[in-house]
């Protein structure tokens, strides 16, 4: 069973500035530090923010959807021209609940010289025998992280 969820937020900063923050590991680590009610920590397991980088995201107990405690995600695409970063969960998280894959795409879209749109899209596929677990997917932790990113960008213009 295939599913998708998305959310976007408009930010009054240039897309190039937003992409500088969003393209690598910085925003993930920074977000975890400032969203301590949700995340325990984010560790860079390997890499420097380019394709092949692996992060381990650990949630505070009881704060993640479906009582997920952690997941590891691998940067599969970092496209500076399109300002798009895609990660695939490679361990834990929804994979432990019978998902074939769980992908997160972050895009920074230019709206004008001083305004951009941050967009996050979740894509996932669940094994047929675990199809009911698709209802456990929640974009809310990602919305919270995206909102933090927008606020951070506005404060640090």
């Amino acid at each position: 069973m295939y599913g998708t969820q998305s959310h976007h937020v408009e930010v009054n900063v240039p897309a190039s500035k937003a992409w500088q923050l969003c393209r690598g590991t910085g925003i993930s680590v920074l977000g975890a530090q400032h969203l301590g009610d949700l995340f325990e920590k984010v560790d860079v397991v390997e890499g420097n923010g380019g394709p092949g980088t692996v992060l381990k995201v650990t949630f505070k107990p009881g704060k993640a959807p479906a009582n997920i405690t952690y997941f590891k995600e691998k940067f599969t695409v970092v496209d500076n021209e399109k300002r798009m970063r895609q990660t695939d969960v490679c361990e834990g998280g929804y994979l432990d609940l019978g998902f074939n894959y769980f992908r997160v795409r972050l895009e920074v879209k230019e709206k004008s010289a001083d305004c951009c749109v941050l967009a996050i899209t979740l894509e996932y596929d669940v094994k047929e025998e675990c199809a009911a677990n698709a209802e456990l997917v929640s974009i809310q932790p990602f919305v919270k992280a995206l909102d933090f990113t927008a606020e951070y960008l506005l404060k640090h213009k």
Side-chain angles (χ1 to χ4, degrees):
M1 177 183 173
Y2 175 80
T4 183
Q5 296 181 28
S6 62
H7 179 76
H8 68 274
V9 62
E10 192 173 303
V11 188
N12 288 319
V13 298
S16 58
K17 182 169 179 70
W19 179 243
Q20 278 183 313
L21 180 66
C22 294
R23 72 177 173 208
T25 61
I27 191 58
S28 300
V29 174
L30 187 66
Q33 292 169 353
H34 290 275
L35 296 172
D37 61 321
L38 180 61
F39 299 106
E40 186 75 34
K41 62 183 173 175
V42 174
D43 294 312
V44 178
V45 176
E46 66 181 71
N48 60 1
T53 296
V54 176
L55 299 181
K56 181 179 180 184
V57 179
T58 305
F59 291 95
K60 289 244 175 160
K63 293 295 183 173
N67 291 319
I68 291 170
T69 58
Y70 85 99
F71 65 88
K72 285 185 181 177
E73 64 179 355
K74 184 175 188 174
F75 289 32
T76 54
V77 178
V78 179
D79 188 325
N80 290 313
E81 189 174 308
K82 293 181 180 177
R83 295 186 183 111
M84 188 268 291
R85 181 181 86 182
Q86 182 172 288
T87 61
D88 286 355
V89 172
C90 58
E91 181 183 306
Y94 289 107
L95 297 183
D96 290 345
L97 300 175
F99 285 58
N100 293 312
Y101 70 86
F102 190 87
R103 179 171 295 141
V104 180
R105 187 172 48 252
L106 174 65
E107 298 173 272
V108 178
K109 302 174 184 179
E110 187 171 345
K111 188 167 181 181
S112 68
D114 294 320
C115 185
C116 67
V117 174
L118 304 178
I120 194 135
T121 303
L122 309 180
E123 294 178 356
Y124 48 90
D125 185 62
V126 187
K127 295 175 184 170
E128 190 174 317
E129 63 272 17
C130 300
N133 287 345
E135 294 177 11
L136 301 173
V137 175
S138 173
I139 197 167
Q140 288 311 308
F142 299 94
V143 168
K144 200 169 188 177
L146 198 64
D147 289 345
F148 164 77
T149 302
E151 290 171 20
Y152 183 87
L153 284 164
L154 288 172
K155 285 180 186 174
H156 298 89
K157 278 189 173 183

